[in-house]
Amino acid sequence: MTSTNVTPVILCGGSGTRLWPLSRKSYPKQFAQLMGEETLFQASARRMTGSDGAVSFEAPLVLTNTDFRFIVTEQLQAAGIDPGAILIEPEGRNTAPAILAAALFAEAATPGAVLLVAPSDHVVPDADAFRAAVARGLAAVEAGDLVTFGITPTHPETAYGYLELGAAPAADGAPVKLTRFVEKPGEARAQEMLDAGTFLWNAGIFLFKATDIIAAFKATAPSVMAPVQAALDDAKPDLGFLRLAPAPWAQAEDISIDYAVMERAENLSVVPFSAAWSDLGGWDAVWRESGPDGDGVVTSSGATAIDCTDTLLRAESERMEVVGIGLKNIMAVAMNDAVLVADMNAAQDVKKAVAALKAKQSSQATQFPKDHRPWGWFESLVVGGRFQVKRICVHPGAALSLQSHHHRSEHWIVVEGTARVTVDDQVRLVTENESVYIPLGAKHRMENPGKVPMVLIEVQTGAYVGEDDIVRYEDVYSRE
């Protein structure tokens, strides 16, 4: 059997507000360990690796934004996956410009490239079944079709769009011609479509040749072509990433691939997929996919349920215990800076909480408690009027920028590992239980020269302790 080379295109720029407080704009759900030890992004990338005879996956092509670029490389490295190109979108313009940019890039690099486009936040427990479904779609791709994947519905879901098929799916899962896309239905209509047997959930996963999707854009959404091509032509390399040019990119229409192309194209086929799948579009989906016990209860390691039914309890901090007593149909998710408690039937309304917090200018609306940086992460432990206490973790071999502050001095206490510390013209090693003082205005830097993470406690004191009080002189990560 001849193997077809397929390039995965992983989209990972979304914010996932319906899974707040664990998913936030600064650190969305695809990078979180929602379902096991791997993140959703890592699991998505792993599904699209290796070769099974019919399909041989190339290195993944990733589209993300500048805030997540180092998280992407860090998580792929941790999963043992070498990335291909990583394209940086200057701003979110929805899926159509992102997919077109990937297609234009892939076609220029490898003429005739076959692309498998997938979001980075789906749960597909059976990776072999997924790869088999991809293999079943290759014949339609070779015939020039744009292939989408439809999930066999298990219940009358109102949170998904649907695909109407020209005929009921065959037992072998062969591709079926698509009749039309159907918007998210009401409950009665969802039940009708479930009963009809010719409707599948729209998974938002696509398989096609780069040349065919480019031709489809030219035919159905020609106005998107010029700005995306210009953004790619004027793209700039940056530390292994490729930054799309912001000016032309901003001119691209903010539109989904469904509206721009798929609902207007005629050469569409659907591969039915009957194995387990979820887009984890809300905490109710997390509850369902986590496998509730006999009482319908799901708990994390830091949560205890007493006399509860149909309930989700999660503690997302190692320093926290969540206890539910006599709860029914409740979801409770606790972090060290925010707690969500809601009726399970209101899972799709969690985004309203995010909007309400934004309206009151609460940082919890968008900012994750741990602030992830290229070199590691930090979290604020205590914040006062003229002081702040942080825990800082620096990855092995990583270094913060050479910097100074106008309004604060700092005291560093190493609690794990060893730090190489620069203060003006002095460089020294600081080991566990040792400390160093950084005077106001001094040029300073911390590095981790070791092979294990380095953790320190930072005590800031001064008139202002905001993150924007930084003057950078040198930075290995090219941040301004």
Side-chain angles (χ1 to χ4, degrees):
M1 178 184 296
T2 302
S3 180
T4 299
N5 292 336
V6 174
T7 298
V9 176
I10 305 177
L11 309 177
C12 57
S15 59
T17 55
R18 287 176 293 180
L19 286 176
W20 184 89
L22 183 60
S23 178
R24 308 187 197 182
K25 183 179 179 181
S26 69
Y27 199 72
K29 66 175 181 176
Q30 59 264 31
F31 302 120
Q33 293 174 315
L34 266 165
M35 304 292 297
E37 293 301 313
E38 283 193 320
T39 69
L40 300 179
F41 171 63
Q42 289 173 317
S44 296
R46 191 178 299 282
R47 271 196 302 277
M48 297 179 283
T49 58
S51 174
D52 64 358
V55 177
S56 180
F57 288 107
E58 303 284 352
L61 170 58
V62 180
L63 285 100
T64 189
N65 63 46
T66 190
D67 292 337
F68 305 150
R69 65 196 190 281
F70 292 107
I71 298 174
V72 164
T73 54
E74 178 185 324
Q75 292 202 354
L76 287 176
Q77 182 181 25
I81 298 171
D82 292 327
I86 298 177
L87 305 187
I88 307 299
E89 299 177 71
E91 59 180 291
R93 306 302 292 167
N94 216 314
T95 54
I99 292 172
L100 177 57
L104 292 169
F105 179 89
E107 182 60 22
T110 308
V114 176
L115 307 181
L116 175 63
V117 179
S120 59
D121 55 1
H122 289 185
V123 172
V124 184
D126 192 340
D128 290 337
F130 176 78
R131 287 189 280 264
V134 173
R136 291 197 300 272
L138 290 175
V141 170
E142 285 302 315
D145 277 2
L146 308 176
V147 174
T148 185
F149 292 79
I151 310 301
T152 302
T154 57
H155 58 278
E157 180 60 63
T158 60
Y160 300 149
Y162 285 69
L163 306 171
E164 183 177 2
L165 309 183
D172 61 1
V176 182
K177 284 296 182 180
L178 176 65
T179 299
R180 66 186 178 103
F181 287 78
V182 180
E183 295 291 339
K184 296 176 183 179
E187 197 166 320
R189 179 58 178 152
Q191 184 64 57
E192 291 174 0
M193 290 191 286
L194 178 66
D195 295 340
T198 54
F199 293 84
L200 304 177
W201 292 335
N202 182 6
I205 302 172
F206 306 99
L207 182 69
F208 40 61
K209 289 182 179 178
T211 50
D212 291 334
I213 192 65
I214 293 169
F217 268 98
K218 290 178 179 178
T220 65
S223 63
V224 182
M225 285 293 305
V228 172
Q229 183 68 70
L232 192 59
D233 290 342
D234 296 337
K236 304 295 184 184
D238 178 10
L239 297 177
F241 307 105
L242 187 64
R243 289 183 176 274
L244 299 172
W249 186 259
Q251 301 304 311
E253 184 178 0
D254 187 334
I255 188 171
S256 72
I257 189 68
D258 284 357
Y259 287 139
V261 174
M262 298 301 172
E263 293 187 3
R264 307 177 190 181
E266 297 181 354
N267 55 330
L268 295 174
S269 291
V270 181
V271 173
F273 185 72
S274 298
W277 169 90
S278 175
D279 72 344
L280 290 190
W283 285 113
D284 55 338
V286 175
W287 169 80
R288 190 163 48 244
E289 294 300 318
S290 298
D293 65 15
D295 294 319
V297 173
V298 171
T299 58
S300 69
S301 59
T304 301
I306 301 172
D307 297 330
C308 296
T309 57
D310 300 332
T311 290
L312 170 71
L313 298 176
R314 288 181 66 119
E316 299 296 341
S317 170
E318 67 273 13
R319 296 173 291 173
M320 181 177 293
E321 286 286 336
V322 174
V323 180
I325 302 175
L327 302 179
K328 183 177 181 180
N329 209 47
I330 293 296
M331 51 189 190
V333 182
M335 301 189 69
N336 58 11
D337 70 333
V339 178
L340 169 71
V341 181
D343 189 284
M344 194 77 74
N345 293 329
Q348 296 302 308
D349 292 333
V350 172
K351 58 186 177 182
K352 294 180 181 178
V354 177
L357 292 175
K358 285 182 179 179
K360 62 189 291 188
Q361 298 183 327
S362 172
S363 63
Q364 284 89 337
T366 58
Q367 294 301 309
F368 200 71
K370 282 185 178 178
D371 197 322
H372 291 262
R373 297 298 172 93
W375 43 261
W377 53 265
F378 71 84
E379 62 178 337
S380 294
L381 303 178
V382 182
V383 181
R386 292 179 58 87
F387 74 93
Q388 180 172 205
V389 181
K390 291 181 178 179
R391 177 168 59 165
I392 299 175
C393 179
V394 183
H395 298 317
L400 280 69
S401 60
L402 181 66
Q403 59 186 252
S404 66
H405 309 295
H406 291 303
H407 304 289
R408 70 174 184 256
S409 59
E410 296 173 343
H411 199 126
W412 296 343
I413 305 99
V414 176
V415 294
E416 293 181 25
T418 298
R420 180 187 292 119
V421 176
T422 299
V423 181
D424 289 329
D425 57 353
Q426 299 293 315
V427 181
R428 57 175 286 201
L429 292 178
V430 182
T431 58
E432 290 183 15
N433 296 321
E434 294 183 339
S435 63
V436 61
Y437 175 66
I438 314 297
L440 177 70
K443 291 184 179 180
H444 60 279
R445 166 184 278 157
M446 73 174 77
E447 305 169 69
N448 181 356
K451 295 183 178 180
V452 297
M454 182 269 290
V455 180
L456 59 81
I457 301 299
E458 176 182 88
V459 180
Q460 304 175 352
T461 58
Y464 179 70
V465 293
E467 288 304 313
D468 54 348
D469 180 22
I470 296 178
V471 179
R472 287 195 176 98
Y473 303 95
E474 297 175 7
D475 184 44
V476 296
Y477 306 107
S478 299
R479 293 170 295 172
E480 296 181 358

